[in-house]
Amino acid sequence: MNPEYQQIVDLFGLTVPVEEEQKEPQDSSPKGPEDIVRIAEQSLLAGDYERAAEYFERVLEQFPSKSVEARMGLATAMECLERSPQAVRQYAKVLKEQEKTAEAHLGLGEIYARHGKTDAAIRELEEAIKLEPDNGFYYLKLAEEFRKIGQRNKALKAAQTAVYFAPSESFYHYWMGDMLLELKQYEEALAAFRAAIELSPGDDFLYAQSSLAFWGAGRRVEAMKAVRLANDLNPEKYHYKVILAEFLRRESMIEEAELELKSVKKLDEYDKDLIRRMFVQAGISS
C-alpha cells in the first residue's frame, strides 16, 4: 500500500504537488512530402529506428535546406541502431556544415562515453557547454564523466550547476544527492534528496537513498521511517526490508529485525551487491 502523504510531509517537511492529468497526444496523418521530417521524427520517438533513418535520408535527398536537422535525426537513429561509426560521421558533417551546434557535440560526447573514451567525451561536452552554457543536461552528462574517472569534486560542481539551471528536474537533485552520499556529506545529501522527493513524491528509491543519508547523519529514527516509506511504496523490493532490518539490529531491536527478514524471499546477486553498496553509502561496515 502507498504511504499516507502526511507521513511524507512529516518526515521531509514537503508540500506534495498534485499530479496533473496527462493528455493523450493527438494523432496527425501526413498530408504531403513536406511532412517527411515529421514522419521521421515520429518514427524515432516510436522506436522504429530503421524507418526513422530511412525518412531522414529522404529528407537529406529532398530538402537540402534541412540537412542539419536531418543529419542530427539520422545520427540519433544510427545511435539507437548501435551503428556508432555512422552516427559519428553524421555528427561530424553537422559540425562541418554548422560549426556551432551544441547537440552534435553532445551526441559525439555520449558515443565516446559509451565506448569508454572519457577524455574525448569530456572535451565534446565542454564544447557543448560553451555553446549553450545554461543547459543543465550538458552539465549532468559532464558530471557523469568526471565521476567515472574519480574526479568527484568536479563531478559535484557540474551536478550543482545542472541543478542551478534545471531546478525542476528531480533526477538532477537525486544525482547530486547520490554524489554527496559518496562524499559522506550526509546533511547536504538530505537537502538534495528532499528537493528530489518534492518533485517526485512517488519514487520509492528516493526514500531509500534518504534513509542512508539520515543514517549517516546520525538520525536513526528518521532513517528507519524513510526506508519504511520506500517499502510501503514498493514492497516487492525486498532489499528495503533487509536495510530496515539492519537498522533495527543496530538499534538493538532484534525481534523487530527478525520479523522484517522473515518476509524476505531469496535475494539474487544483484540485490546482495546493491545492499552492500547502499550500506557503504550509509557508512555501515559489514
Side-chain angles (χ1 to χ4, degrees):
M1 67 176 200
N2 290 340
E4 294 290 337
Y5 279 139
Q6 189 59 47
Q7 290 179 277
I8 301 172
V9 172
D10 289 344
L11 185 56
F12 294 96
L14 305 181
T15 300
V16 180
V18 177
E19 294 184 1
E20 295 182 2
E21 183 179 351
Q22 298 293 318
K23 295 182 179 179
E24 292 292 327
Q26 293 183 347
D27 178 59
S28 56
S29 56
K31 300 179 177 65
E34 71 277 3
D35 289 336
I36 296 176
V37 174
R38 177 176 54 79
I39 297 170
E41 291 173 346
Q42 288 180 341
S43 299
L44 193 60
L45 291 171
D48 190 346
Y49 306 126
E50 292 282 5
R51 185 168 185 259
E54 175 189 343
Y55 274 88
F56 280 123
E57 287 172 346
R58 287 176 60 182
V59 174
L60 285 171
E61 293 172 3
Q62 298 183 27
F63 302 94
S65 64
K66 292 184 176 291
S67 62
V68 170
E69 179 184 356
R71 289 192 192 283
M72 287 296 300
L74 180 56
T76 302
M78 289 300 176
E79 282 189 73
C80 295
L81 290 166
E82 299 183 354
R83 299 173 189 170
S84 295
Q86 293 95 320
V88 168
R89 283 198 293 273
Q90 294 303 322
Y91 285 131
K93 288 179 180 179
V94 168
L95 291 171
K96 188 175 181 179
E97 292 181 31
Q98 187 170 305
E99 186 177 348
K100 295 183 178 181
T101 307
E103 289 183 359
H105 286 294
L106 171 66
L108 286 170
E110 291 187 317
I111 291 173
Y112 292 142
R114 282 198 300 275
H115 289 273
K117 299 179 179 179
T118 306
D119 289 343
I122 288 172
R123 285 196 299 271
E124 293 297 337
L125 291 167
E126 287 176 337
E127 287 298 318
I129 287 170
K130 287 178 186 177
L131 294 170
E132 293 184 20
D134 59 350
N135 190 316
F137 181 69
Y138 298 166
Y139 289 99
L140 186 71
K141 301 304 291 186
L142 183 61
E144 290 174 350
E145 295 310 303
F146 280 135
R147 192 175 190 177
K148 284 180 185 177
I149 58 176
Q151 296 192 26
R152 297 185 295 179
N153 289 327
K154 285 187 176 180
L156 177 59
K157 184 177 179 181
Q160 289 169 332
T161 308
V163 167
Y164 175 80
F165 285 117
S168 62
E169 292 290 339
S170 176
F171 181 77
Y172 293 8
H173 291 281
Y174 152 72
W175 200 99
M176 184 171 70
D178 194 60
M179 187 74 253
L180 288 162
L181 264 185
E182 188 173 315
L183 292 167
K184 308 299 184 186
Q185 297 180 30
Y186 296 116
E187 291 293 348
E188 293 86 349
L190 278 171
F193 291 137
R194 178 188 182 280
I197 288 168
E198 188 157 17
L199 292 163
S200 186
D203 189 334
D204 56 279
F205 187 64
L206 294 177
Y207 298 100
Q209 292 299 99
S210 296
S211 76
L212 307 179
F214 275 127
W215 188 270
R219 298 166 65 177
R220 305 298 176 81
V221 173
E222 290 95 332
M224 289 185 280
K225 287 181 178 179
V227 76
R228 285 186 191 277
L229 283 169
N231 184 66
D232 286 345
L233 282 165
N234 198 336
E236 297 303 314
K237 290 185 178 178
Y238 295 111
H239 57 275
Y240 293 159
K241 293 182 181 295
V242 175
I243 292 167
L244 176 57
E246 182 64 15
F247 288 168
L248 290 166
R249 187 183 71 80
R250 287 175 178 265
E251 289 295 284
S252 300
M253 302 169 72
I254 305 303
E255 290 184 6
E256 292 90 335
E258 291 177 352
L259 186 62
E260 292 295 335
L261 291 175
K262 280 183 179 179
S263 60
V264 175
K265 296 181 180 179
K266 185 177 180 180
L267 299 171
D268 58 27
E269 287 304 314
Y270 173 82
D271 288 326
K272 292 176 182 177
D273 183 61
L274 178 60
I275 291 166
R276 283 192 291 268
R277 285 187 282 113
M278 293 177 80
F279 282 157
V280 169
Q281 287 182 307
I284 294 175
S285 58
S286 56

